[in-house]
Structure formats: C-alpha cells, structure tokens
Amino acid sequence: MLMANDVYPSRQGTAEAIGERQDPVVFGNGPARSEYSLSEEQLHSYEKNGFIVLPGLMKDVVEPMLEEVRRLGREMSHRKEVVTEPDSDEVRSIFAAQNFSPMVDRISRDRRMLDVARQLLDSDVYIHQSRVNVKPPIKGKSFQWHSDFETWHVEDGMPRCRVTTGWIMLTDNTPYNGPLFVIPGSHQWFVAVAGETPENNFEQSLKQQVAGVPSLDTIEWMTRNCGEVQGVYGEPGTVVFHEGNILHASPDNISPNPRTNLMFVYNSVENTPQRPFSGQEPRPEHLANRDFTPLKPVDPK
Amino acid sequence: MLMANDVYPSRQGTAEAIGERQDPVVFGNGPARSEYSLSEEQLHSYEKNGFIVLPGLMKDVVEPMLEEVRRLGREMSHRKEVVTEPDSDEVRSIFAAQNFSPMVDRISRDRRMLDVARQLLDSDVYIHQSRVNVKPPIKGKSFQWHSDFETWHVEDGMPRCRVTTGWIMLTDNTPYNGPLFVIPGSHQWFVAVAGETPENNFEQSLKQQVAGVPSLDTIEWMTRNCGEVQGVYGEPGTVVFHEGNILHASPDNISPNPRTNLMFVYNSVENTPQRPFSGQEPRPEHLANRDFTPLKPVDPK
C-alpha cells in the first residue's frame, strides 16, 4: 500500500533502489543549546560522516548504570521490557527503562546527551526507543546492514529523518566483541528495500533482521561511493551519536567479553509518527513510544 | 577409548581441563635453512606469541594465485576437493590443491614458506592439510575458538605438536571481513576438551566446529593468563605462521569484501599420524594427507 505522503517509500514490493536523502542531517545549522553542545567542527564531522564519537563523555555513569542493569535483571524480570537469559537473571536487553528506572530517565535527559540531540535536530525531542543492549560473550549474534530509520519509517510511521541515536558504552567496545560497524556518509542516501514487511515483523527482527536489509550490491555501492566500513570503538563512558539513517551492522561477539551499551533514540517532537507506512498495526509502545512529551534537560551531577 | 601413548588426551568424556604443552614450540632452536629463514628475534616472537606476521612476503603470488582459484572453480569443480557456491562456479574452498595445481604445489615449496616451516620444526616437513579458504561477503560464517592440533590429534592421529600452519593472504584481511583472532601464548597450554567425537565429525566441523570447542571459562582463563585477543590483519601477500596449538577463532564476514587465504599445514616427517586417538576411522586423505614424502624446496621465481 503506497501512501500519498510517503517521501521514503520502502518494502513496497518493487526492486531495491538507492535514492537521495530528503532531509537535512544537522537541522537549522545546529544551534548551540548550552556548554554541552557540539563545536562547529564536531557538527561538520557528524554531518559528513553520519556519526560522532565523544570519548569518555559519560564515564561517571558507567559503574552505577552497570549496577542498575544487574538490579533490573534481578528485580524487574517480570516486565516485558526486561529480557533476561533463559537460564539466569542476566540481562540481554532492557527496553524503555526510562519509564521505570529513575537513573536511566536522568541519564537520558542529562545535558551532555540531550543538548546534543536537541542541537542536531534543532527542536525539542522525546525518546522514540531506548535500549540496554548486552551482546554476550561467545554467543552474541551478528546484525546485518540496515538503516534504523528505514524500520522506524516503515514499521513505526516516523515521517521524516529527523532523528539521532545517542548511546553510551558501558563496557569496552573493541574490534573483538561484536562492535558497531558503519559506512560513513551512507546516511546521505535512502535505500528503498525490496520485499514487504511480514506481520509482527518485530518478533523476528529483534533477533535477526531480515526485512529491510539491503543487498550486497547496495553495500558495495555505498563503500565505493561513500566510505569504507569503519568500526566504532571506545572505552566505557564513551558516547556516540549516529544519524538515524546511517547504514550499520555488527559482527557476532566471539570474544570472552560482553559488549554492553545504553541507547536512546531521540526523535524531534516535530517528527512524531503517524500510521506505519507498511499499512500494518504499529509496533508495541516499548519499541515505538507514542508519548511525545518533550524531554526536560537536567544538569550533570 | 584411552590410548596408552596419548600424551594429549581430549574428548575422552571427562571434564574439560587445561594442561601444559608437552612439546617445544621452536624445535632444536630453529636452525636457519637459508636466507629465507626467520631471524632470532622473529623466532623468539613466534615462540612467545605462537604466531608471526610477515607483511608482503609473498606479494608476487597473489594475482596469479587469485586467477588460479578462479580457473580451478571453472575447470575442476567436479573434484571433491573443490567446493563451489551452490549457484555458481565461485570457489568456497579448495583442499589439497598442491596435488592438481602445479602453481599451488610450487608455492607450498617456495623457500620463503618451506624454509620457515623446516626451521621451526627442525626437520623435513610434508603437508598434512592445505586449503584455499574464501570467506564470502555478508554471508561468511564465524568459527569458534579451537586449537587445530586438538582436532589433528584426536581425529587424525597426529601424535605430537610439531606442526605449523603457514598461510598467505590473497585479499586484504581487515577487522571487518571475518579475520583470524588469536590468543597469544595460548599455544603453551593444551585444552583437553569435554565430550566425545561424533562419527564423521568432519562433515559438520568444516561448516561449524562443535566438538573440540573449549568453554567460555577456558577462553577467559587464557585471556587472563596468556594475552588479550588479537586480530591478524594484513595486505595481500602477507604471510602468517601460526603454531598448530594456538587458540584461534574468526567472526563472521559481514563486510562487502571476501577474505581469501591460502593455507598449508606443515607437519614434521618425524610426527606422522598413527591411528586417530578418537578410536574412529581416519578422515579422508584430502583433509588428512597420508603421503609423508618430504617437500623439496624451490627457490622463489
């Protein structure tokens, strides 16, 4: 079903096609919000590459947040948002933890995170999705190349690409523990993917994405025309902002160390989702939040 | 079945155990064989770390060898040693190509390779196994941590650890295309793995190794006691020698580029296999060669 106002049609049953991005990357030239805003140079780098790495920016939250992850695994494993290992209380994922963890709520609104998101999108923002992600040692599975925005657009009805993901490394992210790989510059293109969206696709796609995955030809095209694949590494406390449409993937974690990150998808309040462009039902709230109240910044402790 | 002369018992149905290596790493202090032998410093590094990287050493063979791989895929795909993609003549693996490709035979005996192997093992050598290995883009699967020697011992009856693998990068080996990861120093320990060996295990283990894979606890122990996981990267033509018992693994290849390597397992003629220590039938000849004729060196072209 093709919707009239769909500027990023994808999974419409037609052949895969690469089109131009229809939105700015940095909105309104990224007006500074506070002393925690990005510099001109950092803005330029984000605009060009589609991501920026801020080493050690949130180092102070790492230890308390790792303890919070353990606590939530022990005490809150009855909630659908808390996914633990089948045989223990060890956390695999926690969705939308800002709704039941004051610590996560506070971190999501910390000016070091929030003022950057508001600067990049030149508006107030809310959290479209958030997640603690543990890629466990030896067993952690890979994720194929994809644009997050493509999924949020098709499956959640997010109209435009005015969205950025800010995330905090809670453990080392190394070349060995299944780190994020990106194709710098790929956010300037939108890949309209072939195929259609299966019903309740999220049940499958959280484990292994199939719908919305571009072909090898497209990935080759991107590395030839945008930039070589690049790994995103850092020590605990490092913050990364990556643009919602950048192509990214991650290999499996065969190392003996977990890779644990805390991610917030900041969406502009001027870009709130409508009906999913797939024509299907919206995903559950803990995957695609429908409370668009703007986040209020708090100063770092 | 426990054999009386088994100095490296493994997969005997008992619990996993880490024991000391029973053999030297560099035999007879690694007497130089020619101008192509390793230096004292290189020998020392190999002894300590269990591997050595020789950038660009065989650069001249890369282009002709890639062409040879394509030719073998086109012309020799009827042979059991040549494994092509299900839907094309594209090569996945070629085993024992020295038996039907004069070029591969010549490369395997090139003094730049052979004199190093003979030096490390202080004897004549023959090829226990050889393989062209293509890890294809996007689809190439990971391999779990293992010691090659553990398999050669249990499944092929190789009595002692007097064996080294010399391999040539035919494409770039990068952090992104499923490269080799090693635990430096792990070759000084032998992991007696739990479980037993299924019959015809090689049919499974060439795709994904299950028997002979140490536990996460053991991998953690190794990284604490030996060294951190390290990736082995290089440009085409780079040669690596890794000791038969070093623990290694590789993540899947999610990049758009294949990772193609040519590998020769050089075993000492004083270490020829007997009956497999699993008590089972030996593996087929193209996986575990039983022609022990010493290789004759040829000078580089």
Side-chain angles (χ1 to χ4, degrees):
Chain A
M1 174 168 50
L2 189 58
M3 294 198 184
N5 61 349
D6 188 354
V7 296
Y8 293 112
S10 183
R11 307 189 212 170
Q12 300 286 349
T14 52
E16 189 168 301
I18 301 174
E20 285 182 20
R21 179 189 179 89
Q22 301 293 315
D23 291 296
V25 174
V26 174
F27 285 74
N29 293 320
R33 297 267 161 176
S34 73
E35 60 187 293
Y36 303 107
S37 298
L38 298 179
S39 68
E40 282 294 314
E41 196 185 340
Q42 288 173 318
L43 279 179
H44 183 71
S45 169
Y46 177 88
E47 183 158 39
K48 182 180 169 216
N49 298 314
F51 72 104
I52 190 156
V53 181
L54 306 166
L57 181 65
M58 298 284 283
K59 208 165 176 177
D60 52 297
V61 310
V62 170
E63 282 311 317
M65 190 58 216
L66 283 172
E67 178 50 41
E68 180 74 346
V69 170
R70 284 188 288 271
R71 186 185 72 82
L72 294 170
R74 277 195 313 273
E75 296 173 17
M76 311 291 266
S77 61
H78 59 281
R79 294 191 70 113
K80 68 179 178 312
E81 294 92 340
V82 179
V83 184
T84 54
E85 294 283 348
D87 49 358
S88 74
D89 288 340
E90 226 170 298
V91 166
R92 269 308 254 279
S93 306
I94 308 175
F95 293 96
Q98 71 279 4
N99 295 340
F100 52 93
S101 161
M103 188 187 296
V104 174
D105 170 56
R106 193 190 160 87
I107 293 171
S108 76
R109 298 187 292 112
D110 189 303
R111 281 190 181 277
R112 291 171 291 180
M113 302 294 291
L114 189 58
D115 283 357
V116 173
R118 300 196 307 165
Q119 178 186 21
L120 292 170
L121 306 181
D122 189 25
S123 72
D124 275 334
V125 300
Y126 71 98
I127 294 175
H128 176 69
Q129 188 186 88
S130 92
R131 191 169 177 178
V132 173
N133 224 355
V134 181
K135 193 180 263 196
I138 305 292
K139 291 184 292 187
K141 290 284 170 247
S142 60
F143 272 78
Q144 284 296 349
W145 294 98
H146 65 284
S147 150
D148 287 334
F149 171 69
E150 194 271 349
T151 293
W152 299 330
H153 182 72
V154 173
E155 300 191 21
D156 299 339
M158 187 183 286
R160 309 295 298 225
C161 194
R162 191 172 177 179
V163 57
T164 189
T165 299
W167 52 280
I168 304 167
M169 300 182 185
L170 299 180
T171 62
D172 282 315
N173 281 231
T174 75
Y176 310 116
N177 64 357
L180 189 76
F181 291 171
V182 296
I183 301 177
S186 60
H187 62 301
Q188 297 287 7
W189 302 93
F190 181 77
V191 184
V193 178
E196 295 186 354
T197 309
E199 290 220 19
N200 293 322
N201 182 47
F202 65 90
E203 291 170 7
Q204 157 72 23
S205 68
L206 293 176
K207 292 180 200 144
Q208 184 189 27
Q209 187 166 354
V210 178
V213 171
S215 67
L216 171 57
D217 285 350
T218 290
I219 301 303
E220 277 177 337
W221 188 93
M222 291 287 175
T223 57
R224 274 199 314 277
N225 290 279
C226 300
E228 288 296 323
V229 175
Q230 191 173 324
V232 181
Y233 313 130
E235 295 186 351
T238 294
V239 169
V240 180
F241 277 86
H242 71 258
E243 208 281 331
N245 186 46
I246 194 170
L247 285 173
H248 60 286
S250 65
D252 43 357
N253 179 7
I254 61 171
S255 87
N257 307 308
R259 191 205 62 162
T260 306
N261 296 325
L262 170 60
M263 304 189 304
F264 301 107
V265 178
Y266 296 107
N267 189 31
S268 169
V269 294
E270 296 170 27
N271 189 39
T272 56
Q274 47 191 74
R275 292 273 312 162
F277 291 93
S278 64
Q280 296 181 3
E281 288 305 301
R283 298 196 294 174
E285 287 255 350
H286 68 288
L287 300 180
N289 177 29
R290 305 247 156 192
D291 175 354
F292 309 135
T293 315
L295 297 183
K296 288 196 181 67
V298 288
D299 286 314
K301 272 183 189 167
Chain B
M1 174 168 51
L2 188 57
M3 294 199 185
N5 61 350
D6 188 353
V7 295
Y8 293 113
S10 183
R11 306 189 211 171
Q12 300 287 347
T14 51
E16 189 168 301
I18 301 173
E20 284 182 22
R21 179 188 179 91
Q22 302 293 315
D23 291 296
V25 174
V26 174
F27 284 74
N29 293 320
R33 298 267 161 176
S34 73
E35 61 186 294
Y36 304 107
S37 298
L38 298 180
S39 68
E40 282 294 315
E41 196 186 339
Q42 289 174 317
L43 279 179
H44 183 71
S45 168
Y46 177 88
E47 183 159 36
K48 181 180 169 217
N49 298 314
F51 72 105
I52 190 156
V53 181
L54 307 166
L57 181 65
M58 297 286 282
K59 207 165 177 179
D60 52 298
V61 311
V62 169
E63 282 310 317
M65 190 58 217
L66 283 172
E67 179 49 41
E68 181 74 346
V69 170
R70 283 188 289 269
R71 187 186 71 82
L72 295 170
R74 278 196 312 273
E75 296 174 17
M76 312 291 267
S77 61
H78 59 281
R79 296 191 69 113
K80 68 178 179 314
E81 294 92 340
V82 179
V83 184
T84 55
E85 294 283 349
D87 50 357
S88 74
D89 289 340
E90 226 170 300
V91 167
R92 268 310 253 278
S93 306
I94 308 174
F95 292 96
Q98 71 280 5
N99 295 341
F100 52 93
S101 161
M103 187 187 296
V104 174
D105 170 56
R106 193 189 160 87
I107 292 171
S108 77
R109 298 187 292 112
D110 189 302
R111 281 190 182 277
R112 291 172 290 181
M113 302 294 291
L114 189 56
D115 283 357
V116 173
R118 301 197 306 165
Q119 178 187 20
L120 292 171
L121 307 181
D122 189 25
S123 71
D124 276 334
V125 300
Y126 72 98
I127 294 175
H128 175 69
Q129 187 187 91
S130 91
R131 191 169 178 179
V132 174
N133 224 355
V134 182
K135 191 181 264 197
I138 306 291
K139 291 183 292 187
K141 290 285 169 245
S142 60
F143 271 79
Q144 285 296 349
W145 294 98
H146 65 284
S147 150
D148 287 334
F149 171 69
E150 194 270 351
T151 292
W152 299 330
H153 182 72
V154 172
E155 299 190 21
D156 298 338
M158 187 182 287
R160 309 295 298 225
C161 195
R162 190 171 177 179
V163 57
T164 189
T165 299
W167 53 279
I168 305 168
M169 300 181 185
L170 298 180
T171 62
D172 283 314
N173 280 230
T174 74
Y176 310 117
N177 65 358
L180 189 76
F181 292 171
V182 296
I183 301 177
S186 60
H187 62 300
Q188 298 287 7
W189 302 93
F190 182 77
V191 184
V193 178
E196 295 187 354
T197 309
E199 292 220 17
N200 294 322
N201 182 47
F202 65 91
E203 290 169 7
Q204 157 71 24
S205 68
L206 293 176
K207 291 181 202 144
Q208 185 189 26
Q209 187 166 354
V210 178
V213 171
S215 67
L216 170 57
D217 284 350
T218 290
I219 301 303
E220 278 177 338
W221 187 94
M222 291 288 175
T223 56
R224 274 199 314 274
N225 290 278
C226 300
E228 287 296 323
V229 174
Q230 190 173 326
V232 181
Y233 313 130
E235 295 186 350
T238 294
V239 169
V240 179
F241 278 86
H242 70 257
E243 208 279 333
N245 186 46
I246 194 170
L247 284 173
H248 59 286
S250 64
D252 40 8
N253 179 7
I254 61 170
S255 88
N257 306 309
R259 191 206 62 164
T260 306
N261 296 325
L262 171 59
M263 302 190 304
F264 301 108
V265 178
Y266 296 106
N267 188 30
S268 168
V269 293
E270 296 171 27
N271 189 40
T272 57
Q274 48 191 72
R275 293 273 311 163
F277 291 92
S278 64
Q280 296 180 3
E281 288 306 301
R283 296 196 296 174
E285 286 256 350
H286 68 288
L287 300 180
N289 177 29
R290 305 248 157 192
D291 174 354
F292 309 135
T293 315
L295 297 183
K296 288 197 181 66
V298 289
D299 286 314
K301 272 184 188 166

